[in-house]
Amino acid sequence: MQRREFLRFCAGGSAGAVLSLTGVSIATTAAAEPLRLRIQKARYTINGAVTQDMVSLSQDQPPPVLRMKQHEPFVVHVTNDLEDYTAMHWHGIRVPNKMDGVPYLTQWPIARKETWRYAFTPEDAGTYWYHPHCMTMEQMARGLTGVLIVEERESVGFDTETIVNLRDFRLGEDSQFIKFFSPRMAARSGTLGTVMTANWKQNPVYEHQTGALVRLRLVATDVTRIYKLFATGEHGKVIAIDGHPVRDTVAWPTDVAPHIMGPGQRIELAIKMPDREGAEVVITHQSGQAPRPLVTLRSVGAPLKRNLKDLHTLPANPVPEPDLKSAEVVEFVFGWTPQSMKPNNGYCGSLGYTFWSIDRKPWPGDAADGTKPLAELKLGRSYILRLRNESPNAHPIHLHGLTFRPIRSNQRNLPSNWTDTALLLKNETIDIALVASNPGDWAFHCHVIEHQKTGLAGFIRVS
Ligand code: C2O
Ligand code: CU
Ligand code: CU
């Protein structure tokens, strides 16, 4: 539709004035200057003293929340001010392959002082995130993980929202970075951080009007940690998982049945703030020892008489529905590697070990010549990918460029919600279904970065 037609169409609608305004802002956005981001060194006080040598998009702030609108073009120029190479990936967004930010597979690494242009139109609304896919361990561990929101075309009816970027930092007593991983842990469940944060703070408190309806978006951007989240206080409901509105109900997470969220995953909660001023809702991580509060919402001011029923249902995203009857089954096995080798990673960093494999072959490195796809899917066809974990450790298996839904597990009942990441528990097999709707070479890897960078990676070709 041309811009003129769109405006005319809106003016004819029942809510003409409001929609016309939207039309104008669309035109402005499309013609506007592209967003410019500079990956650079940063410093920030996370744990009492200033941490040096962080990586962000400004010198003293966490990576900002990027906002775009569903079905509207988005253009960003990413400049590299670091010494090392980089590349930016838009996690969970179904972008054209060239815009996916995977070095050697979809683009060249971005050298110091170079700028790379990314342009795409997000088809799906929801909560996503961005992170580098080159020097991944180094740059993510130092801070470069940010939230990306694709707004729905229409308001869903919340009074306010809070966006929470959950992650750890590995800091020593002096608040400076310590080694990002140990080979011993990389070969097991991964190396955890020493300081748990929400938006780079420890248990920040966000105030909302008493009784208000809050959209809480939680994003796990940590390189390793699998969160077990639950909410204390007033109730609400789970409205979206991994970007997409839930289709199968997901239970409200409690201390006895927390929501398990692996690296890269997201959850959105609709929360009605407590009706009593000063009362709190605390989002907590259930850990072996004492539960750890991550972020707190507090009621302040005169009560708003709102009800969860006032909310509209989130509109479903236009993800193609796989045809399970005609779907071909393709199997993958994730586990330790039978062969130890020195990975080749070109300009994008190597941890120097291989511990893991897909189909018993470790990924030889981002820049290795002659790497073949793990599978070749036909564009437009439906597939069931059988993901089998033959290891005792959990793996959040992430696929770029395509959205899928789990259809069965050999261990538990899984809600069949759209996602980009399947969290495989110890010895679990999960079947996922998808339509191979987006052509290209799509990275396919564990999102525990130590696993990804020591062999548990590959790609799937759709053509
Ligand atoms: Cu969030 Cu291949 O990554
Ligand atoms: Cu991704
Ligand atoms: Cu893994």
Side-chain angles (χ1 to χ4, degrees), residues 89 91 102 129 131 133 398 400 443 445 447 452:
H89 171 59
H91 181 123
V102 181
W129 63 297
H131 62 81
H133 224 283
H398 171 54
H400 289 213
H445 60 87
H447 225 291
Q452 175 192 358

Side-chain angles (χ1 to χ4, degrees), residues 109-306:
I110 311 173
R112 175 171 173 78
K113 296 298 173 198
E114 266 181 11
T115 297
W116 199 274
R117 176 182 183 274
Y118 297 94
F120 53 88
T121 301
E123 294 174 68
D124 305 318
T127 306
Y128 303 91
W129 63 297
Y130 60 94
H131 62 81
H133 224 283
C134 174
M135 299 303 293
T136 315
M137 185 70 200
E138 182 81 18
Q139 292 174 14
M140 284 177 68
R142 291 184 185 278
L144 191 52
T145 62
V147 176
L148 189 165
I149 305 280
V150 182
E151 291 172 1
E152 291 87 15
R153 307 283 296 185
E154 281 126 48
S155 151
V156 190
F158 287 99
D159 299 308
T160 52
E161 81 175 354
T162 289
I163 299 161
V164 182
N165 183 344
L166 295 173
R167 55 164 299 157
D168 290 4
F169 288 94
R170 275 183 61 76
L171 305 178
E173 300 276 298
D174 58 355
S175 296
Q176 304 312 306
F177 284 109
I178 55 176
K179 266 185 141 320
F180 297 133
F181 76 100
S182 74
R184 190 190 135 78
M185 290 314 290
R188 292 175 175 77
S189 56
T191 314
L192 290 171
T194 60
V195 183
M196 293 179 74
T197 68
N199 296 336
W200 289 22
K201 297 191 167 62
Q202 294 178 65
N203 189 14
V205 177
Y206 296 101
E207 298 185 330
H208 290 287
Q209 196 168 347
T210 306
L213 293 175
V214 179
R215 183 175 191 164
L216 179 64
R217 304 179 191 249
L218 300 165
V219 187
T221 77
D222 192 54
V223 293
T224 310
R225 184 177 295 279
I226 294 171
Y227 290 90
K228 292 181 186 151
L229 299 177
F230 67 94
T232 67
E234 297 287 297
H235 283 211
K237 58 184 176 186
V238 178
I239 55 171
I241 298 272
D242 297 342
H244 300 271
V246 295
R247 8 184 302 156
D248 289 354
T249 315
V250 176
W252 183 253
T254 63
D255 56 348
V256 288
H259 177 74
I260 302 179
M261 188 159 82
Q265 298 196 282
R266 295 83 72 198
I267 187 171
E268 287 184 42
L269 305 178
I271 291 178
K272 182 189 178 310
M273 292 302 294
D275 282 325
R276 185 172 54 81
E277 196 175 354
E280 293 175 344
V281 177
V282 184
I283 304 298
T284 305
H285 170 63
Q286 184 69 281
S287 73
Q289 312 91 39
R292 298 283 295 268
L294 296 172
V295 57
T296 298
L297 308 183
R298 181 181 297 151
S299 280
V300 293
L304 270 179
K305 293 261 157 26
R306 297 297 305 269

Side-chain angles (χ1 to χ4, degrees), residues 341-377:
M341 46 167 263
K342 274 266 168 238
N344 168 345
N345 265 298
Y347 294 119
C348 285
S350 157
L351 303 195
Y353 304 87
T354 48
F355 299 121
W356 298 95
S357 67
I358 301 181
D359 294 342
R360 308 215 162 78
K361 280 194 222 66
W363 176 244
D366 297 335
D369 283 335
T371 49
K372 293 202 180 60
L374 293 161
E376 302 200 37
L377 311 185

